[in-house]
Amino acid sequence: NAGVTQTPKFRVLKTGQSMTLLCAQDMNHEYMYWYRQDPGMGLRLIHYSVGEGTTAKGEVPDGYNVSRLKKQNFLLGLESAAPSQTSVYFCASSPSAYYGYTFGSGTRLTVV
Amino acid sequence: TQLLEQSPQFLSIQEGENLTVYCNSSSVFSSLQWYRQEPGEGPVLLVTVVTGGEVKKLKRLTFQFGDARKDSSLHITAAQPGDTGLYLCAGMMNYGGATNKLIFGTGTLLAVQP
């Protein structure tokens, strides 16, 4: 019962460093999403994908890039980390645009 | 501007009490979902309501979608410590064509004391 798996679970970065967050789902879902969760701000959509090879911007895409080379994987990249990107990042997937989402357990990222 | 406002933001009650959480918007949603999130975990889907006026029950939890599909409520009867968590409502909006996106509220943090 893997569902949606996110790696790593925790990470501390220095300002200016880069990193990639990996999301993998084993449910054959077409849609995948990256959200960030901050106190008082709720969950905000960063980028999403409606299928293999496609990506689109969400509500807060600046400073992030994504790729969906394989249907089961959705990667979130930070090219030059900033303290404002300190957050908890969640990946989610759904079979279509109309169904509920299955979330991963999150990655807690601190940028110092 | 937050499209979905939840109230209250925080709620601390004793085991056995009843409570209601509200989710309000000025926008119309094609459907509305409720999630519960526990510390250190991702949100878990509880229910999806689609039709205006729809009521769904999940054991002690009752979910209602407003007639105009702009608001929703979650009522918990006889709350238990296991109900503790962050409750999130999320509305599905159409952004043109086949693109639908889920907009999340800021959440209600519930603590049920034994």
Side-chain angles (χ1 to χ4, degrees):
Chain A
N1 288 356
V4 176
T5 302
Q6 291 184 236
T7 53
K9 292 189 181 301
F10 304 93
R11 186 73 186 267
V12 178
L13 283 180
K14 293 183 178 179
T15 298
Q17 286 185 321
S18 63
M19 79 162 294
T20 300
L21 281 67
L22 173 64
C23 176
Q25 53 98 0
D26 62 0
M27 298 170 287
N28 201 35
H29 285 174
E30 288 292 336
Y31 288 63
M32 296 187 75
Y33 313 85
W34 276 107
Y35 283 87
R36 59 179 290 173
Q37 187 174 37
D38 303 289
M41 303 292 288
L43 282 157
R44 292 181 292 169
L45 183 64
I46 305 171
H47 284 282
Y48 65 100
S49 168
V50 301
E52 180 179 316
T54 75
T55 62
K57 294 180 179 180
E59 183 185 358
V60 288
D62 294 343
Y64 306 95
N65 56 76
V66 288
S67 64
R68 184 114 180 257
L69 299 179
K70 292 183 178 181
K71 186 177 184 178
Q72 63 267 36
N73 296 335
F74 195 28
L75 278 62
L76 177 71
L78 286 73
E79 290 186 348
S80 180
S84 61
Q85 294 178 304
T86 293
S87 187
V88 182
Y89 292 86
F90 287 100
C91 176
S93 71
S94 65
S96 79
Y98 303 98
Y99 285 82
Y101 295 2
T102 301
F103 281 85
S105 57
T107 295
R108 184 173 293 276
L109 175 66
T110 302
V111 183
V112 297
Chain B
T1 302
Q2 187 63 38
L3 282 179
L4 271 172
E5 299 286 345
Q6 285 187 240
S7 62
Q9 286 187 313
F10 306 98
L11 192 54
S12 180
I13 61 172
Q14 294 297 122
E15 183 175 358
E17 292 184 10
N18 302 331
L19 67 115
T20 302
V21 175
Y22 299 93
C23 176
N24 295 295
S25 176
S26 58
S27 301
V28 176
F29 297 105
S30 56
S31 66
L32 195 133
Q33 301 171 9
W34 284 92
Y35 292 79
R36 180 168 67 212
Q37 185 179 16
E38 298 187 13
E41 298 295 329
V44 175
L45 179 67
L46 295 174
V47 76
T48 300
V49 284
V50 179
T51 307
E54 183 176 1
V55 176
K56 279 192 174 180
K57 292 191 175 183
L58 188 65
K59 296 183 180 178
R60 295 175 292 99
L61 278 61
T62 302
F63 305 85
Q64 185 164 6
F65 201 11
D67 291 341
R69 306 205 318 277
K70 293 182 179 181
D71 54 81
S72 181
S73 64
L74 159 61
H75 182 79
I76 300 179
T77 303
Q80 298 177 0
D83 295 327
T84 293
L86 179 67
Y87 288 82
L88 297 162
C89 66
M92 187 70 75
M93 293 190 74
N94 183 272
Y95 281 77
T99 303
N100 288 303
K101 292 180 192 174
L102 206 55
I103 307 297
F104 282 85
T106 51
T108 294
L109 187 59
L110 171 65
V112 182
Q113 311 297 334

